[in-house]
Amino acid sequence: MERWVSEVNAGWGLTVKTTQQLCDIQTPYQHIEIFETVNLGHLMMLDGIVQLSSYDEFAYHEMMANLPFYSCAHLPEKALVIGGGDGGVLRELGKHPELKSIDICEIDGEVIKAAREFLPETACGYDDERVHIHVGDGSLFVQEHPGSYDIIIVDSTDPAGPGEPLFGEAFYGNLKKALKPGGVIGTQAESYFLLPEIAQRVVKFAGTFFKSYGFAQIHVPTYPTGVIGCCVASDEGDVREPKRFPDEAMQKKLRYYTPEVHRGAFMLPGFARELFEK
Ligand code: SPD
């Protein structure tokens, strides 16, 4: 039966026509819903907030994985994903043979199960033998692993519910401690149109702890306002400049990320630049 489902966020919304609800689970952490849609393939929502659609998830996941990967001044070998239970960031990291180990710490094991059952093209990231799954609180996990990772990617929900601690200043300090020297973080930094105060806060925290940092914009039509940010930060080199480039074979595996897109993503509209300079 056809049904329009909406994300209503900050006083406005995004509505998608669906044909079938594949998953409808309330976990101790959140409400997981997955729909079959008319035009966007599968759509996953957590607590009513769109997390991904098959139509454009490649854009978000490629950038979340590759901005930190290619910003890292040394060749990254060990990666950590906080959140990201759908497996999309894992899938993109898995394209890099240089990575020897990819840990994921997702607080809600039911998200992993639902993604594996209903979003196989995204959750195929789990099929990689370098991936180690930890179900738990990412904010505690980073405190328990000092000096451990070359790149850490925080693929969180919005700062309400289980995602809340991942938007605090203390968490950014702990991310820095969990990195090896010269490591890079990439964190979900919201939309400068939809949630400008959150985007501003995240970039400010990155600037408190790291020498080089910036907000990279990613075009994702199925997130309200069509844009979302990845805050990239490191103590080594300029994160706006890729340190290595995908070879031809790797570039063929990517539909959104290119070295030019890496540089261009940090070129923000004037009002957004001002937001982050305050
Ligand atoms: N405002 C929604 C932000 C969602 C970011 N996380 C998406 C998870 C996809 N792996």
Side-chain angles (χ1 to χ4, degrees):
M1 198 183 70
E2 285 180 354
R3 172 181 155 205
W4 288 88
V5 299
S6 298
E7 167 179 339
V8 177
N9 200 340
W12 53 322
L14 173 131
T15 304
V16 177
K17 195 173 187 180
T18 67
T19 49
Q20 198 188 349
Q21 184 157 16
L22 303 171
C23 172
D24 184 7
I25 306 171
Q26 180 64 48
T27 77
Y29 298 102
Q30 58 207 341
H31 184 199
I32 306 175
E33 293 174 284
I34 301 177
F35 299 92
E36 182 74 53
T37 73
V38 172
N39 290 320
L40 306 175
H42 289 172
L43 176 81
M44 181 167 83
M45 299 173 93
L46 297 178
D47 285 340
I49 303 292
V50 173
Q51 300 301 310
L52 66 86
S53 81
S54 318
Y55 172 70
D56 56 13
E57 56 91 350
F58 70 94
Y60 176 80
H61 291 131
E62 282 187 23
M63 290 291 273
M64 290 297 288
N66 287 308
L67 287 166
F69 183 86
Y70 286 111
S71 292
C72 191
H74 61 270
L75 197 55
E77 292 187 346
K78 209 168 165 209
L80 169 65
V81 180
I82 303 283
D86 51 74
V89 173
L90 297 177
R91 181 193 65 208
E92 295 307 318
L93 290 174
K95 291 177 181 170
H96 295 290
E98 300 87 344
L99 286 173
K100 294 194 172 133
S101 153
I102 307 169
D103 287 342
I104 177 163
C105 184
E106 160 64 53
I107 200 163
D108 193 345
E110 293 301 321
V111 172
I112 301 176
K113 275 194 211 153
R116 289 184 118 162
E117 185 169 355
F118 299 112
L119 304 169
E121 287 168 14
T122 310
C124 61
Y126 286 103
D127 300 338
D128 193 310
E129 60 186 17
R130 294 167 295 169
V131 170
H132 310 285
I133 304 172
H134 308 266
V135 174
D137 182 335
S139 64
L140 298 177
F141 189 88
V142 290
Q143 292 180 56
E144 290 158 2
H145 293 82
S148 300
Y149 295 100
D150 300 298
I151 53 178
I152 302 179
I153 294 153
V154 183
D155 181 13
S156 63
T157 55
D158 286 359
E164 174 89 58
L166 309 182
F167 288 83
E169 184 167 8
F171 178 64
Y172 275 77
N174 291 327
L175 283 177
K176 169 147 177 174
K177 288 183 197 151
L179 286 176
K180 293 184 191 170
V184 183
I185 60 163
T187 63
Q188 196 273 97
E190 299 295 354
S191 158
Y192 49 65
F193 278 121
L194 188 73
L195 298 169
E197 299 84 8
I198 306 288
Q200 193 178 37
R201 195 169 88 191
V202 163
V203 173
K204 182 172 162 241
F205 294 156
T208 304
F209 295 105
F210 294 93
K211 290 182 189 148
S212 173
Y213 62 97
F215 180 102
Q217 59 187 338
I218 313 167
H219 301 289
V220 186
T222 54
Y223 289 149
T225 75
V227 68
I228 196 159
C230 176
C231 178
V232 189
S234 178
D235 271 343
E236 208 168 311
D238 176 1
V239 293
R240 292 171 173 76
E241 188 55 38
K243 308 301 178 307
R244 289 170 305 287
F245 304 109
D247 63 18
E248 209 182 319
M250 174 60 69
Q251 191 60 70
K252 280 196 181 135
K253 293 182 193 165
L254 302 173
R255 296 169 67 200
Y256 190 102
Y257 180 92
T258 68
E260 295 77 19
V261 166
H262 183 130
R263 293 189 191 101
F266 292 97
M267 305 290 175
L268 302 178
F271 80 93
R273 206 178 58 208
E274 275 179 27
L275 186 74
F276 300 125
E277 281 169 358
K278 273 184 194 161

